[in-house]
Amino acid sequence: MTEEKSNTGILDKRKFKEIFNENYQSLFFLSRNYLDDEDEAKGVVQEAFVKLWDIRDDLKEDTNHRNFLFKMVKNNCLNILKRRQLLLKHHEKIKSLELHYQYESLNKIGFDYLQVKELKEKIDQSIKNLPEHCRIVFELSRFEQLKNREIAERLGVSQKTVEAHLTKSLKILRSDLKEYLPLIIFLARLVR
């Protein structure tokens, strides 16, 4: 008797490898479609196969391994999506409180024309200092109010490239202007 066989002999290493090779790709695609994250999708699929291996001795002879794996991947993906949704709700609640406290603190602090002028100069300088492609995309998006698709067409690049430039621009500006953030938020609320 070899060690490759489980106690019942229903699912040995050879059979498990066969099931893995037949189902991994489709399980991965299913998981990735749900989660839109390759690493997380791989983890979910790996978890399903580990679970299948762990319970191999308890499986009945007529167990449909494919159905078991697909159901497990689907349920794990749905659980992850539920957790994400809860985290997002929690994050939004925190952001709302954070904005409220920033607003309250700014309400207690007066500001004058010189502060606003200083802020405008700092924003203009930060935008001017952005890498060229980032600056162009940012200006088209924020000052000309073009959609990402329109910017991509105008510049002859993909929408993903436009999104990447915008993300990089906002990250740089957020870093450059972090000391002015409460004032920016306050002024933005006044303009609405």
Side-chain angles (χ1 to χ4, degrees):
M1 189 179 313
T2 67
E3 282 190 48
E4 288 188 17
K5 294 224 177 211
S6 64
N7 294 342
T8 60
I10 294 171
L11 186 60
D12 59 18
K13 285 184 179 179
R14 182 193 53 75
K15 178 70 174 164
F16 182 81
K17 188 174 182 176
E18 187 179 300
I19 292 168
F20 180 87
N21 290 334
E22 288 174 3
N23 294 290
Y24 181 83
Q25 278 302 108
S26 50
L27 290 168
F28 171 71
F29 287 126
L30 172 72
S31 183
R32 192 180 66 196
N33 283 334
Y34 270 111
L35 303 175
D36 200 30
D37 181 307
E38 282 196 21
D39 292 333
E40 214 167 14
K42 287 176 185 176
V44 166
V45 174
Q46 181 179 0
E47 215 175 288
F49 279 107
V50 167
K51 178 71 173 174
L52 178 63
W53 182 255
D54 286 346
I55 65 164
R56 69 189 179 277
D57 294 337
D58 301 327
L59 295 174
K60 294 180 180 153
E61 203 164 325
D62 63 344
T63 299
N64 185 328
H65 302 108
R66 182 178 176 84
N67 285 350
F68 171 84
L69 289 166
F70 271 86
K71 192 172 194 175
M72 181 138 191
V73 165
K74 182 186 113 184
N75 289 339
N76 287 347
C77 287
L78 291 174
N79 287 338
I80 288 171
L81 293 174
K82 283 179 194 172
R83 273 195 304 269
R84 282 184 189 171
Q85 204 169 22
L86 284 172
L87 285 172
L88 188 60
K89 267 186 182 176
H90 183 68
H91 182 71
E92 286 172 1
K93 189 183 269 186
I94 289 171
K95 270 291 195 204
S96 175
L97 284 171
E98 191 176 286
L99 286 175
H100 173 74
Y101 291 128
Q102 287 174 343
Y103 174 78
E104 288 298 318
S105 68
L106 277 174
N107 245 349
K108 294 175 184 173
I109 300 171
F111 64 90
D112 59 19
Y113 174 75
L114 289 177
Q115 288 174 308
V116 174
K117 184 178 179 196
E118 178 187 339
L119 173 62
K120 184 182 179 335
E121 289 171 358
K122 180 68 175 168
I123 291 171
D124 291 342
Q125 188 61 45
S126 292
I127 292 170
K128 184 180 174 186
N129 290 340
L130 288 172
E132 182 181 6
H133 294 298
C134 291
R135 182 183 46 77
I136 291 168
V137 169
F138 181 83
E139 288 174 346
L140 291 172
S141 172
R142 297 309 191 256
F143 301 139
E144 294 186 32
Q145 272 81 43
L146 294 180
K147 293 181 167 67
N148 290 356
R149 179 184 44 78
E150 296 168 323
I151 297 170
E153 289 172 5
R154 185 181 283 190
L155 299 178
V157 297
S158 72
Q159 283 189 42
K160 288 285 186 193
T161 301
V162 169
E163 290 169 14
H165 286 312
L166 278 175
T167 300
K168 185 175 180 181
S169 298
L170 292 171
K171 185 177 180 182
I172 292 169
L173 291 173
R174 206 173 293 124
S175 174
D176 286 355
L177 302 170
K178 67 181 168 231
E179 64 193 67
Y180 296 93
L181 191 57
L183 183 58
I184 293 169
I185 291 169
F186 180 75
L187 292 174
R189 287 179 180 226
L190 287 179
V191 174
R192 281 190 214 170

